[in-house]
Structure formats: C-alpha cells, structure tokens
Amino acid sequence: MTPPRAAGPDVLEPALARPAAGAAPAGADVTDADLVARLASRDTGALDLLYARHGRAAYSLARRVCADETLAEDVVQEVFLVLWRDPERFDRTRGTVISWLLTLVHHKAVDAVRREATRRRHHVPTEEPGTDAGSAVPSADRAALGSVIAEHVRAALRHLPSEQRQALGLAYYGGYTQREVASITGVPIGTVKSRMFTGVAKLRVLLAPVLGTSGLDLLGDTW
C-alpha cells in the first residue's frame, strides 16, 4: 500500500504498509485498547502493532465495499490516520477496537463509493461507437441499492448483543472464517456458530419491516 502523503508524519509510513499474509503478530501480550491508549503519546510502535493485527481485516472489508483496490487502500489509510490523529475517538466501554475499526472502515468505504459515483456522474466519458449507453444502468442501480441495504444492515447490527455483533462483524466485514473468529475472540467455535446463527436470525427480523421480502431476498442466504 502506498503510504499517505501530506496526511501525517513520515513515521507513519512503516505502519501503513500492507501486512504480509500469515505474519506472526508482534506484542501479542498487549491488548488493542492499551495500544490505542499509547497513541495519545504519539507511540508509532503502537500504530505498527495495531495495523499488523487488523490491517488485513480492514482492507478486506474496504475492498468488498469499494470493489476497487486503490479506493480500498485509500479508505484503510484514512481510517488508520483517523486513529493516529484522534485515538480518543475510541471508547473501550462501548466495544472492542476491531469492531470500532471495522465500523469506521465500512462507513468511510460507503462514503468513498458515493463520492466516486458522484464524480463519475459529473464526468461521463464520450461513448465509443456501438456502445450501449444503457448497459451500465442496471449495474449502477444495483450498486446504489446495495449501499442502501448495507446502511440498514449496519444500523440493525447496533441492536444486537455485543458478542453477536462482534462475531458477525469479524466474519462478514472482516473476512475471517468462523474458526479464525473463535481464535480472535477466545471462545469455542461452537459458540461462534451459535452467536452468528442467532445474530443472523435477529437481523432478518429487524430488517424485514424495512426491506420487505424482496429486500431480504437480495441479502441472500448469508444474512
């Protein structure tokens, strides 16, 4: 990932390099919340550790929402710079660092997609001969509808118990398998499966009055 330019000190560059797959986590005995607290004293090592732990999940989520590698990388950089500049935005009494980070990634990724869609609407390229101008409309409509549904899902997640919200967030937004979620949260995989199943069932109940049957069908079997 290209390090941010003119957005933070040069010392951020090593922290915002994309982590290598399968890299062993450093400082495993230090909690995420403690690392965030250390950012207040401009501890770049703490930022390095947080990115090593959660950069992959943040990028995975941003990539899913943005469907564009460069845009996703920009989103992840922006999120970690927000954390670096204002670590007090994280409130440990309201949840875990990873849940907070992924919520921020999702919010900023949706914003980025909307900005990009607006930019493209105002910069329509000249059509090539034989191009079907209407061919892009269904895709654009689906993308817009997907953004609306994603917003409703994000709002509904807030009404779930924290353990269900965390499991679903890690699995569907972070891209982790159920076994990896179990490892991250420190609970048996059977418990993770139960939390996810119950959480999904509650989500569908919460979303039914808003999305209706057709909207729930668009969510598929995953939700």
Side-chain angles (χ1 to χ4, degrees):
M1 180 186 303
T2 304
R5 291 181 288 276
D10 291 340
V11 290
L12 284 179
E13 294 189 4
L16 295 184
R18 194 186 302 177
D29 55 332
V30 183
T31 68
D32 288 346
D34 288 338
L35 290 175
V36 172
R38 283 164 49 183
L39 296 180
S41 59
R42 320 317 291 162
D43 185 340
T44 58
L47 185 63
D48 282 326
L49 287 174
L50 285 167
Y51 192 84
R53 291 178 182 181
H54 306 307
R56 174 177 171 269
Y59 177 77
S60 176
L61 170 57
R63 183 70 173 80
R64 290 186 184 188
V65 176
C66 296
D68 178 273
E69 182 176 339
T70 301
L71 205 58
E73 289 179 349
D74 290 343
V75 166
V76 174
Q77 289 191 44
E78 183 180 358
V79 165
F80 276 89
L81 284 172
V82 166
L83 180 60
W84 169 256
R85 290 167 175 164
D86 190 11
E88 293 183 359
R89 288 182 60 175
F90 168 69
D91 182 355
R92 69 170 68 199
T93 66
R94 300 184 63 181
T96 63
V97 173
I98 181 61
S99 296
W100 180 81
L101 276 174
L102 293 181
T103 297
L104 188 58
V105 168
H106 186 263
H107 176 71
K108 290 191 175 296
V110 170
D111 286 345
V113 169
R114 288 173 175 168
R115 287 195 303 269
E116 182 66 13
T118 299
R119 186 191 68 80
R120 291 181 178 179
R121 281 198 300 269
H122 288 84
H123 296 82
V124 180
T126 302
E127 294 179 19
E128 295 290 336
T131 298
D132 183 1
S135 61
V137 175
S139 178
D141 288 345
R142 284 194 297 270
L145 181 58
S147 295
V148 171
I149 291 176
E151 285 294 325
H152 286 304
V153 170
R154 192 159 68 95
L157 280 169
R158 300 192 188 103
H159 296 281
L160 298 183
S162 60
E163 65 274 7
Q164 294 173 10
R165 184 170 63 248
Q166 181 186 46
L168 291 175
L170 289 170
Y172 296 117
Y173 290 152
Y176 290 104
T177 65
Q178 290 181 334
R179 192 168 299 280
E180 288 171 332
V181 172
S183 176
I184 291 170
T185 57
V187 299
I189 188 170
T191 302
V192 169
K193 291 180 178 180
S194 176
R195 289 175 178 178
M196 290 178 64
F197 178 82
T198 305
V200 167
K202 289 182 179 179
L203 273 181
R204 296 184 75 87
V205 171
L206 290 169
L207 292 170
V210 179
L211 301 181
T213 304
S214 58
L216 290 178
D217 289 342
L218 289 174
L219 292 176
D221 295 332
T222 301
W223 292 105

